Amino acid sequence: MSGLCCSGLLVCVIVYLIARNGDCSGRDTAPIAFASGQGGIVMKVRSDSFDDNARIPGTFAYGVPDAVHHVRAGANSNPHLAWDEVPAGTRSFAVVCCDPDVPHTGSDVNIEGRTVPEELPRNDFYHLVLFDIPADVRQIAAGSLQTTHGRSGPAAPHNARYGLNDFSSAGNDHYGYDGPCPPWNDQRIHHYVFTVSALDVERLPLRQAVNGKRLREAMAGHVLGQADLVGTYTLNSGLSSN
């Protein structure tokens, strides 16, 4: 998938106007590993693609900076993720990527001569919803999560299942990973929270076309351990996400 985001910026603008309310784990904090309750063990998650609280490389973004048009299509590959210190009794994993910094209203988004104020209220926006990952899996390879638009979701690695990410809109479902493409005139650096959850069930009772909020609801009471990794990103040339 290479051109959807930045052809007239229509996709990025539209989806940011319909961002969902929610609660990204790790909002405005350093990555948190929650106690699993298994002898004091806490899960850990890392990436070979970017460091904790560092900028996500453009390879893993939906949109990258462009000197003329502000933004152009990026490679949109998913980053590498790996986790360990898994709680005893884990039967599956779920992985989500959530941006808690999406503007609540879009009247100034990507408009020449305007800016999106840093203090503007923000909503959550899911870039990846992946669940029913087998208990013996400990990593997701970079570039391994296929993205499909407008039809039934593709098969995920390891026989896991994709949910819908929030780039989905009426008649255009987005499964798999779609990376950062924040407004190029946003005065706030966006944070992308990758959360790995260890669950006590092998399969969640969900249909595939489920969004991130619904997945979190279904996981309630089944989470044995959880760990976050946060990356940052901006398309605003006046800001630095490092």
Side-chain angles (χ1 to χ4, degrees):
M1 193 285 300
S2 59
L4 279 172
C5 174
C6 305
S7 177
L9 301 180
L10 289 178
V11 172
C12 284
V13 171
I14 291 170
V15 297
Y16 274 94
L17 298 188
I18 59 172
R20 281 72 168 173
N21 287 302
D23 181 20
C24 287
S25 179
R27 180 194 295 269
D28 296 331
T29 69
I32 300 171
F34 297 95
S36 67
Q38 303 293 325
I41 295 175
V42 292
M43 284 185 62
K44 298 176 182 177
V45 60
R46 64 173 183 83
S47 176
D48 292 341
S49 301
F50 63 93
D51 291 331
D52 177 16
N53 278 323
R55 178 180 171 87
I56 296 173
T59 300
F60 309 109
Y62 202 160
V64 295
D66 183 87
V68 176
H69 302 292
H70 299 292
V71 59
R72 58 182 172 82
N76 202 33
S77 294
N78 67 279
H80 165 265
L81 292 174
W83 54 92
D84 56 20
E85 302 294 338
V86 173
T90 296
R91 300 184 65 192
S92 70
F93 299 99
V95 177
V96 299
C97 173
C98 184
D99 173 8
D101 297 313
V102 173
H104 180 69
T105 59
S107 57
D108 294 324
V109 168
N110 293 342
I111 303 296
E112 293 284 356
R114 300 185 185 179
T115 61
V116 178
E118 183 177 6
E119 65 273 13
L120 190 74
R122 304 289 166 147
N123 287 346
D124 291 346
F125 189 96
Y126 286 89
H127 288 257
L128 172 65
V129 178
L130 181 64
F131 57 100
D132 292 348
I133 303 169
D136 60 350
V137 174
R138 292 293 182 273
Q139 66 178 329
I140 295 172
S144 66
L145 301 182
Q146 178 184 356
T147 303
T148 297
H149 307 114
R151 59 183 186 273
S152 297
H158 310 293
N159 200 34
R161 290 194 287 165
Y162 290 122
L164 295 173
N165 68 46
D166 282 346
F167 281 97
S168 302
S169 58
N172 187 24
D173 291 342
H174 282 227
Y175 293 89
Y177 173 83
D178 282 311
C181 189
W184 50 259
N185 61 343
D186 199 343
Q187 295 299 108
R188 179 183 294 195
I189 293 171
H190 285 227
H191 297 78
Y192 297 84
V193 185
F194 291 82
T195 302
V196 180
S197 301
L199 308 177
D200 64 1
V201 293
E202 184 175 351
R203 306 282 286 184
L204 287 167
L206 293 169
R207 60 187 179 90
Q208 186 147 334
V210 60
N211 62 24
K213 183 175 184 294
R214 179 69 187 95
L215 174 61
R216 288 193 185 275
E217 291 170 351
M219 292 193 308
H222 296 291
V223 179
L224 298 174
Q226 201 169 71
D228 295 335
L229 180 72
V230 179
T232 62
Y233 198 76
T234 182
L235 290 171
N236 187 333
S237 61
L239 300 178
S240 172
S241 64
N242 292 322

